[in-house]
């Protein structure tokens, strides 16, 4: 038996697809809603029989760890509201014997309405199915699961409806870069210039972003801007 734990903010539009994808996996669905939410996320979640709680946002790891504490079962499938379990992944999970500490899954990212095959977004393997007694989320931004024990990769994908458009990317970039900049104590001119150039080259050349066409070019550029934003925000408070 597993519990599904979902964190959400202003996710009324995306949440139904997520919940439909897990309806045959469990009857225990916990949805923790960011207290800054302003849409009908709670109503949509309750419609699908989920247990819904609002939680004051501290950081992303805290939201997910809080959700895990509310689950009825030890095994947790942790999702974001913009993710859904593919039918083949759902079947694969239902056939597991759960003899290890955790499982990682390949995540397919749909960005600006296109499945991205390169640009360091694929392969995108993430630990999302784990024994909660042997795992914990860490990281205020781009949180990850730290596992005490063996992790086995699964074959079939989680589908991530990532940035829907450039406006969405920039809005979230502003939030993420603020959190990252608050963790940095000292401004670095070297990092201001080096990190954007390095990340653009890494994504567009080393990870073959050019094979994703214009999407690869613009995503590599926007990620470079991401790093610039972090260091400019550090500079303005130091």
């Amino acid at each position: 038996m597993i519990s599904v734990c979902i964190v959400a903010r202003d996710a009324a539009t995306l949440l139904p697809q997520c919940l439909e994808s897990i309806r045959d996996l469990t009857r225990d669905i916990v949805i923790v809603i960011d207290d800054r939410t302003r849409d009908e996320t709670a109503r949509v979640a309750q419609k699908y029989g989920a247990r819904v709680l609002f939680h004051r946002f501290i950081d992303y790891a805290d939201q997910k760890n809080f959700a895990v504490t509310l689950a009825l079962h030890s095994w947790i499938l942790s999702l974001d509201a913009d993710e859904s379990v593919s039918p083949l992944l759902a079947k694969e999970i239902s056939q597991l014997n759960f003899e290890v500490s955790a499982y990682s899954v390949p995540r397919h990212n749909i960005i600006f309405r296109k499945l991205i095959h390169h640009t360091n977004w694929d392969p995108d393997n993430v630990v999302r199915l784990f024994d909660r007694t042997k795992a914990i989320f860490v990281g205020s931004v781009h949180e990850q699961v730290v596992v005490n024990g063996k992790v086995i990769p699964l074959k079939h994908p989680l589908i991530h409806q990532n940035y829907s458009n450039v406006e969405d990317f920039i809005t979230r970039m502003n939030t993420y870069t603020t959190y990252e900049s608050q963790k940095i104590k000292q401004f670095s001119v070297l990092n201001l210039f080096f990190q954007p150039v390095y990340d653009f080259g890494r994504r567009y050349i080393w990870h073959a972003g050019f094979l994703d066409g214009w999407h690869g070019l613009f995503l590599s550029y926007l990620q470079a801007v991401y790093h610039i934003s972090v260091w400019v925000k550090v500079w303005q408070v130091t």
Side-chain angles (χ1 to χ4, degrees), residues 185-211:
K185 303 301 182 183
Q186 184 174 355
F187 175 69
S188 168
V189 175
L190 179 63
N191 285 332
L192 172 65
F193 289 98
F194 174 76
Q195 286 187 352
V197 172
Y198 170 78
D199 201 36
F200 180 90
R202 181 177 68 90
R203 291 176 182 276
Y204 193 66
I205 300 173
W206 181 254
H207 289 285
F210 56 88
L211 294 178

mmCIF file of all heavy atoms in Angstrom, residues 185-211:
data_model
loop_
_atom_site.group_PDB
_atom_site.id
_atom_site.type_symbol
_atom_site.label_atom_id
_atom_site.label_comp_id
_atom_site.label_asym_id
_atom_site.label_seq_id
_atom_site.Cartn_x
_atom_site.Cartn_y
_atom_site.Cartn_z
ATOM 1 N N LYS A 185 25.819 34.354 1.084
ATOM 2 C CA LYS A 185 26.225 35.412 2.018
ATOM 3 C C LYS A 185 27.113 36.475 1.390
ATOM 4 O O LYS A 185 27.182 37.593 1.888
ATOM 5 C CB LYS A 185 26.945 34.789 3.220
ATOM 6 C CG LYS A 185 26.140 33.740 3.965
ATOM 7 C CD LYS A 185 24.825 34.305 4.490
ATOM 8 C CE LYS A 185 24.046 33.258 5.278
ATOM 9 N NZ LYS A 185 22.735 33.769 5.742
ATOM 10 N N GLN A 186 27.778 36.145 0.291
ATOM 11 C CA GLN A 186 28.754 37.080 -0.259
ATOM 12 C C GLN A 186 28.639 37.149 -1.776
ATOM 13 O O GLN A 186 28.576 36.129 -2.458
ATOM 14 C CB GLN A 186 30.169 36.663 0.145
ATOM 15 C CG GLN A 186 31.251 37.644 -0.296
ATOM 16 C CD GLN A 186 32.611 37.267 0.261
ATOM 17 O OE1 GLN A 186 32.736 36.334 1.035
ATOM 18 N NE2 GLN A 186 33.632 38.017 -0.141
ATOM 19 N N PHE A 187 28.645 38.366 -2.305
ATOM 20 C CA PHE A 187 28.583 38.602 -3.746
ATOM 21 C C PHE A 187 29.892 38.190 -4.409
ATOM 22 O O PHE A 187 30.973 38.391 -3.852
ATOM 23 C CB PHE A 187 28.302 40.072 -4.021
ATOM 24 C CG PHE A 187 28.334 40.443 -5.474
ATOM 25 C CD1 PHE A 187 27.362 39.989 -6.347
ATOM 26 C CD2 PHE A 187 29.354 41.249 -5.968
ATOM 27 C CE1 PHE A 187 27.390 40.331 -7.696
ATOM 28 C CE2 PHE A 187 29.390 41.602 -7.311
ATOM 29 C CZ PHE A 187 28.410 41.139 -8.171
ATOM 30 N N SER A 188 29.780 37.580 -5.618
ATOM 31 C CA SER A 188 30.967 37.143 -6.350
ATOM 32 C C SER A 188 30.881 37.609 -7.805
ATOM 33 O O SER A 188 29.993 37.173 -8.546
ATOM 34 C CB SER A 188 31.089 35.612 -6.313
ATOM 35 O OG SER A 188 32.067 35.162 -7.228
ATOM 36 N N VAL A 189 31.784 38.499 -8.198
ATOM 37 C CA VAL A 189 31.844 38.947 -9.585
ATOM 38 C C VAL A 189 32.166 37.778 -10.505
ATOM 39 O O VAL A 189 31.611 37.645 -11.600
ATOM 40 C CB VAL A 189 32.885 40.066 -9.755
ATOM 41 C CG1 VAL A 189 33.030 40.446 -11.231
ATOM 42 C CG2 VAL A 189 32.497 41.293 -8.932
ATOM 43 N N LEU A 190 33.052 36.905 -10.058
ATOM 44 C CA LEU A 190 33.437 35.744 -10.863
ATOM 45 C C LEU A 190 32.219 34.871 -11.176
ATOM 46 O O LEU A 190 31.995 34.479 -12.333
ATOM 47 C CB LEU A 190 34.494 34.920 -10.125
ATOM 48 C CG LEU A 190 34.975 33.644 -10.841
ATOM 49 C CD1 LEU A 190 35.652 33.994 -12.158
ATOM 50 C CD2 LEU A 190 35.917 32.861 -9.941
ATOM 51 N N ASN A 191 31.424 34.580 -10.158
ATOM 52 C CA ASN A 191 30.237 33.754 -10.376
ATOM 53 C C ASN A 191 29.184 34.470 -11.211
ATOM 54 O O ASN A 191 28.452 33.836 -11.978
ATOM 55 C CB ASN A 191 29.637 33.321 -9.042
ATOM 56 C CG ASN A 191 30.451 32.235 -8.369
ATOM 57 O OD1 ASN A 191 31.115 31.451 -9.042
ATOM 58 N ND2 ASN A 191 30.420 32.196 -7.049
ATOM 59 N N LEU A 192 29.086 35.785 -11.065
ATOM 60 C CA LEU A 192 28.136 36.565 -11.857
ATOM 61 C C LEU A 192 28.363 36.352 -13.348
ATOM 62 O O LEU A 192 27.410 36.246 -14.123
ATOM 63 C CB LEU A 192 28.256 38.048 -11.504
ATOM 64 C CG LEU A 192 27.469 39.025 -12.393
ATOM 65 C CD1 LEU A 192 25.968 38.810 -12.250
ATOM 66 C CD2 LEU A 192 27.845 40.461 -12.050
ATOM 67 N N PHE A 193 29.615 36.271 -13.752
ATOM 68 C CA PHE A 193 29.922 36.099 -15.171
ATOM 69 C C PHE A 193 30.112 34.638 -15.565
ATOM 70 O O PHE A 193 29.697 34.218 -16.644
ATOM 71 C CB PHE A 193 31.179 36.908 -15.533
ATOM 72 C CG PHE A 193 30.953 38.384 -15.535
ATOM 73 C CD1 PHE A 193 31.307 39.163 -14.432
ATOM 74 C CD2 PHE A 193 30.366 39.014 -16.620
ATOM 75 C CE1 PHE A 193 31.078 40.523 -14.424
ATOM 76 C CE2 PHE A 193 30.144 40.382 -16.611
ATOM 77 C CZ PHE A 193 30.496 41.137 -15.517
ATOM 78 N N PHE A 194 30.741 33.858 -14.669
ATOM 79 C CA PHE A 194 31.092 32.489 -15.033
ATOM 80 C C PHE A 194 29.880 31.565 -15.083
ATOM 81 O O PHE A 194 29.717 30.797 -16.042
ATOM 82 C CB PHE A 194 32.115 31.931 -14.048
ATOM 83 C CG PHE A 194 32.420 30.475 -14.253
ATOM 84 C CD1 PHE A 194 33.226 30.066 -15.305
ATOM 85 C CD2 PHE A 194 31.893 29.510 -13.399
ATOM 86 C CE1 PHE A 194 33.504 28.720 -15.504
ATOM 87 C CE2 PHE A 194 32.157 28.170 -13.598
ATOM 88 C CZ PHE A 194 32.974 27.772 -14.648
ATOM 89 N N GLN A 195 29.019 31.616 -14.069
ATOM 90 C CA GLN A 195 27.914 30.663 -14.007
ATOM 91 C C GLN A 195 26.954 30.770 -15.189
ATOM 92 O O GLN A 195 26.567 29.741 -15.763
ATOM 93 C CB GLN A 195 27.171 30.816 -12.675
ATOM 94 C CG GLN A 195 27.942 30.240 -11.498
ATOM 95 C CD GLN A 195 27.142 30.248 -10.216
ATOM 96 O OE1 GLN A 195 26.041 30.808 -10.127
ATOM 97 N NE2 GLN A 195 27.695 29.637 -9.182
ATOM 98 N N PRO A 196 26.538 31.978 -15.613
ATOM 99 C CA PRO A 196 25.650 32.050 -16.777
ATOM 100 C C PRO A 196 26.289 31.502 -18.055
ATOM 101 O O PRO A 196 25.643 30.766 -18.817
ATOM 102 C CB PRO A 196 25.349 33.545 -16.904
ATOM 103 C CG PRO A 196 25.601 34.102 -15.558
ATOM 104 C CD PRO A 196 26.723 33.300 -14.987
ATOM 105 N N VAL A 197 27.549 31.868 -18.293
ATOM 106 C CA VAL A 197 28.231 31.401 -19.504
ATOM 107 C C VAL A 197 28.404 29.893 -19.467
ATOM 108 O O VAL A 197 28.150 29.189 -20.461
ATOM 109 C CB VAL A 197 29.599 32.105 -19.660
ATOM 110 C CG1 VAL A 197 30.392 31.485 -20.809
ATOM 111 C CG2 VAL A 197 29.399 33.596 -19.885
ATOM 112 N N TYR A 198 28.829 29.378 -18.320
ATOM 113 C CA TYR A 198 29.029 27.936 -18.173
ATOM 114 C C TYR A 198 27.724 27.172 -18.391
ATOM 115 O O TYR A 198 27.683 26.170 -19.116
ATOM 116 C CB TYR A 198 29.598 27.618 -16.799
ATOM 117 C CG TYR A 198 29.607 26.144 -16.471
ATOM 118 C CD1 TYR A 198 30.580 25.303 -17.014
ATOM 119 C CD2 TYR A 198 28.634 25.598 -15.643
ATOM 120 C CE1 TYR A 198 30.582 23.941 -16.732
ATOM 121 C CE2 TYR A 198 28.622 24.240 -15.358
ATOM 122 C CZ TYR A 198 29.591 23.416 -15.905
ATOM 123 O OH TYR A 198 29.584 22.073 -15.629
ATOM 124 N N ASP A 199 26.626 27.643 -17.752
ATOM 125 C CA ASP A 199 25.366 26.903 -17.842
ATOM 126 C C ASP A 199 24.795 26.945 -19.252
ATOM 127 O O ASP A 199 24.227 25.957 -19.724
ATOM 128 C CB ASP A 199 24.348 27.449 -16.835
ATOM 129 C CG ASP A 199 23.258 26.431 -16.535
ATOM 130 O OD1 ASP A 199 23.574 25.226 -16.497
ATOM 131 O OD2 ASP A 199 22.095 26.833 -16.354
ATOM 132 N N PHE A 200 24.942 28.086 -19.937
ATOM 133 C CA PHE A 200 24.483 28.141 -21.323
ATOM 134 C C PHE A 200 25.242 27.127 -22.175
ATOM 135 O O PHE A 200 24.643 26.350 -22.928
ATOM 136 C CB PHE A 200 24.665 29.537 -21.910
ATOM 137 C CG PHE A 200 24.195 29.637 -23.344
ATOM 138 C CD1 PHE A 200 22.889 29.995 -23.625
ATOM 139 C CD2 PHE A 200 25.056 29.354 -24.404
ATOM 140 C CE1 PHE A 200 22.443 30.060 -24.942
ATOM 141 C CE2 PHE A 200 24.617 29.420 -25.719
ATOM 142 C CZ PHE A 200 23.305 29.773 -25.989
ATOM 143 N N GLY A 201 26.566 27.119 -22.057
ATOM 144 C CA GLY A 201 27.363 26.187 -22.843
ATOM 145 C C GLY A 201 27.080 24.742 -22.492
ATOM 146 O O GLY A 201 27.018 23.866 -23.369
ATOM 147 N N ARG A 202 26.905 24.484 -21.207
ATOM 148 C CA ARG A 202 26.628 23.123 -20.749
ATOM 149 C C ARG A 202 25.320 22.603 -21.341
ATOM 150 O O ARG A 202 25.239 21.462 -21.825
ATOM 151 C CB ARG A 202 26.555 23.116 -19.219
ATOM 152 C CG ARG A 202 26.297 21.761 -18.587
ATOM 153 C CD ARG A 202 26.314 21.887 -17.068
ATOM 154 N NE ARG A 202 25.182 22.654 -16.584
ATOM 155 C CZ ARG A 202 23.996 22.117 -16.254
ATOM 156 N NH1 ARG A 202 23.812 20.814 -16.374
ATOM 157 N NH2 ARG A 202 23.016 22.865 -15.792
ATOM 158 N N ARG A 203 24.292 23.434 -21.329
ATOM 159 C CA ARG A 203 22.987 23.007 -21.821
ATOM 160 C C ARG A 203 22.924 22.964 -23.352
ATOM 161 O O ARG A 203 22.448 21.980 -23.933
ATOM 162 C CB ARG A 203 21.891 23.930 -21.277
ATOM 163 C CG ARG A 203 21.657 23.796 -19.791
ATOM 164 C CD ARG A 203 20.644 24.784 -19.272
ATOM 165 N NE ARG A 203 20.471 24.660 -17.839
ATOM 166 C CZ ARG A 203 19.663 23.786 -17.246
ATOM 167 N NH1 ARG A 203 18.935 22.964 -17.995
ATOM 168 N NH2 ARG A 203 19.562 23.722 -15.936
ATOM 169 N N TYR A 204 23.400 24.024 -23.974
ATOM 170 C CA TYR A 204 23.195 24.149 -25.414
ATOM 171 C C TYR A 204 24.180 23.299 -26.220
ATOM 172 O O TYR A 204 23.810 22.764 -27.275
ATOM 173 C CB TYR A 204 23.319 25.607 -25.844
ATOM 174 C CG TYR A 204 22.812 25.841 -27.251
ATOM 175 C CD1 TYR A 204 21.459 25.678 -27.554
ATOM 176 C CD2 TYR A 204 23.679 26.214 -28.265
ATOM 177 C CE1 TYR A 204 20.969 25.885 -28.835
ATOM 178 C CE2 TYR A 204 23.212 26.423 -29.558
ATOM 179 C CZ TYR A 204 21.858 26.259 -29.840
ATOM 180 O OH TYR A 204 21.386 26.446 -31.119
ATOM 181 N N ILE A 205 25.409 23.131 -25.709
ATOM 182 C CA ILE A 205 26.418 22.388 -26.463
ATOM 183 C C ILE A 205 26.606 20.987 -25.892
ATOM 184 O O ILE A 205 26.365 19.985 -26.563
ATOM 185 C CB ILE A 205 27.747 23.167 -26.487
ATOM 186 C CG1 ILE A 205 27.537 24.530 -27.160
ATOM 187 C CG2 ILE A 205 28.826 22.360 -27.207
ATOM 188 C CD1 ILE A 205 28.746 25.448 -27.089
ATOM 189 N N TRP A 206 27.040 20.894 -24.611
ATOM 190 C CA TRP A 206 27.341 19.595 -24.029
ATOM 191 C C TRP A 206 26.103 18.697 -23.967
ATOM 192 O O TRP A 206 26.177 17.496 -24.273
ATOM 193 C CB TRP A 206 27.931 19.779 -22.636
ATOM 194 C CG TRP A 206 28.292 18.484 -21.964
ATOM 195 C CD1 TRP A 206 27.634 17.858 -20.949
ATOM 196 C CD2 TRP A 206 29.413 17.658 -22.276
ATOM 197 N NE1 TRP A 206 28.258 16.691 -20.607
ATOM 198 C CE2 TRP A 206 29.363 16.539 -21.412
ATOM 199 C CE3 TRP A 206 30.460 17.751 -23.212
ATOM 200 C CZ2 TRP A 206 30.307 15.525 -21.450
ATOM 201 C CZ3 TRP A 206 31.407 16.735 -23.247
ATOM 202 C CH2 TRP A 206 31.320 15.644 -22.383
ATOM 203 N N HIS A 207 24.947 19.254 -23.586
ATOM 204 C CA HIS A 207 23.707 18.480 -23.507
ATOM 205 C C HIS A 207 22.854 18.615 -24.770
ATOM 206 O O HIS A 207 21.665 18.312 -24.745
ATOM 207 C CB HIS A 207 22.897 18.875 -22.271
ATOM 208 C CG HIS A 207 23.521 18.409 -20.982
ATOM 209 N ND1 HIS A 207 23.471 17.096 -20.569
ATOM 210 C CD2 HIS A 207 24.232 19.083 -20.040
ATOM 211 C CE1 HIS A 207 24.106 16.981 -19.410
ATOM 212 N NE2 HIS A 207 24.570 18.164 -19.063
ATOM 213 N N ALA A 208 23.484 19.082 -25.853
ATOM 214 C CA ALA A 208 22.868 19.077 -27.193
ATOM 215 C C ALA A 208 21.539 19.810 -27.249
ATOM 216 O O ALA A 208 20.605 19.382 -27.923
ATOM 217 C CB ALA A 208 22.706 17.638 -27.692
ATOM 218 N N GLY A 209 21.463 20.959 -26.554
ATOM 219 C CA GLY A 209 20.242 21.754 -26.623
ATOM 220 C C GLY A 209 19.901 22.185 -28.030
ATOM 221 O O GLY A 209 18.722 22.395 -28.355
ATOM 222 N N PHE A 210 20.913 22.298 -28.896
ATOM 223 C CA PHE A 210 20.664 22.703 -30.282
ATOM 224 C C PHE A 210 19.756 21.709 -31.002
ATOM 225 O O PHE A 210 19.076 22.070 -31.971
ATOM 226 C CB PHE A 210 21.986 22.869 -31.039
ATOM 227 C CG PHE A 210 22.874 21.659 -31.025
ATOM 228 C CD1 PHE A 210 22.739 20.676 -31.987
ATOM 229 C CD2 PHE A 210 23.849 21.516 -30.042
ATOM 230 C CE1 PHE A 210 23.562 19.548 -31.973
ATOM 231 C CE2 PHE A 210 24.675 20.398 -30.020
ATOM 232 C CZ PHE A 210 24.526 19.403 -30.980
ATOM 233 N N LEU A 211 19.697 20.454 -30.526
ATOM 234 C CA LEU A 211 18.811 19.462 -31.136
ATOM 235 C C LEU A 211 17.344 19.695 -30.769
ATOM 236 O O LEU A 211 16.458 19.122 -31.402
ATOM 237 C CB LEU A 211 19.236 18.050 -30.723
ATOM 238 C CG LEU A 211 20.606 17.587 -31.240
ATOM 239 C CD1 LEU A 211 20.925 16.190 -30.722
ATOM 240 C CD2 LEU A 211 20.655 17.617 -32.762
#
